[in-house]
Amino acid sequence: LNCCIYLTDRTLKSLRSCGALEELILRGNKNFSDEGMLKILPSLRRLRDINLGCTELSDRSLVGIIEYCPLLEAVDVCFARNVTVTGLMRLFTDLDGQCPNIVNVGMSGIEGITDVVLSKMLAFRP
């Protein structure tokens, strides 16, 4: 579904029947919302890799991913306009909790990431 300009909250709903899905690439899609994402996440508990780069999603979706995708190994939010350092910190501080398997986080283009912030994030990783 990479760069699928016709993907909306309504069409995103169809993913609720894809419970065995392990990889989801929604990069570049700007026509769906946090609300749509949060409605499908409870059905995607086997997800291991999610790419939300260049979307309009926010920290709300990131928190939902942490809550509903315990097997997640990789998350990409590069250039996701509404994801903030606060949301990323939440992800990093929860790595040993609900998402202990995350080894790859793409976060290029997120405003406010400094060396100090990166040091704090990495401090939560053994």
Side-chain angles (χ1 to χ4, degrees):
L1 300 172
N2 189 28
C3 296
C4 178
I5 61 171
Y6 300 107
L7 187 67
T8 64
D9 287 346
R10 187 174 179 191
T11 53
L12 197 63
K13 265 191 335 188
S14 63
L15 293 176
R16 288 191 291 193
S17 63
C18 300
L21 194 66
E22 292 186 7
E23 181 179 17
L24 181 58
I25 300 172
L26 297 173
R27 181 175 186 77
N29 294 298
K30 298 185 187 236
N31 294 320
F32 66 96
S33 68
D34 285 319
E35 289 75 22
M37 192 71 196
L38 292 170
K39 286 180 183 175
I40 67 164
L41 284 173
S43 304
L44 302 177
R45 298 190 63 81
R46 293 185 183 176
L47 217 56
R48 294 186 183 280
D49 186 347
I50 189 165
N51 187 323
L52 302 173
C54 299
T55 63
E56 300 293 322
L57 298 179
S58 74
D59 294 343
R60 288 182 57 217
S61 288
L62 203 51
V63 169
I65 290 166
I66 295 166
E67 183 177 339
Y68 293 113
C69 303
L71 303 177
L72 204 62
E73 297 170 2
V75 59
D76 187 334
V77 291
C78 291
F79 299 97
R81 289 183 30 177
N82 299 311
V83 170
T84 68
V85 168
T86 302
L88 287 170
M89 285 300 293
R90 171 81 189 268
L91 175 68
F92 275 85
T93 57
D94 203 10
L95 285 177
D96 292 325
Q98 292 172 294
C99 294
N101 301 319
I102 292 183
V103 293
N104 188 358
V105 178
M107 54 187 164
S108 296
I110 303 298
E111 289 188 32
I113 296 180
T114 63
D115 290 344
V116 173
V117 171
L118 281 174
S119 295
K120 288 181 181 179
M121 288 177 179
L122 294 174
F124 291 100
R125 251 348 239 177

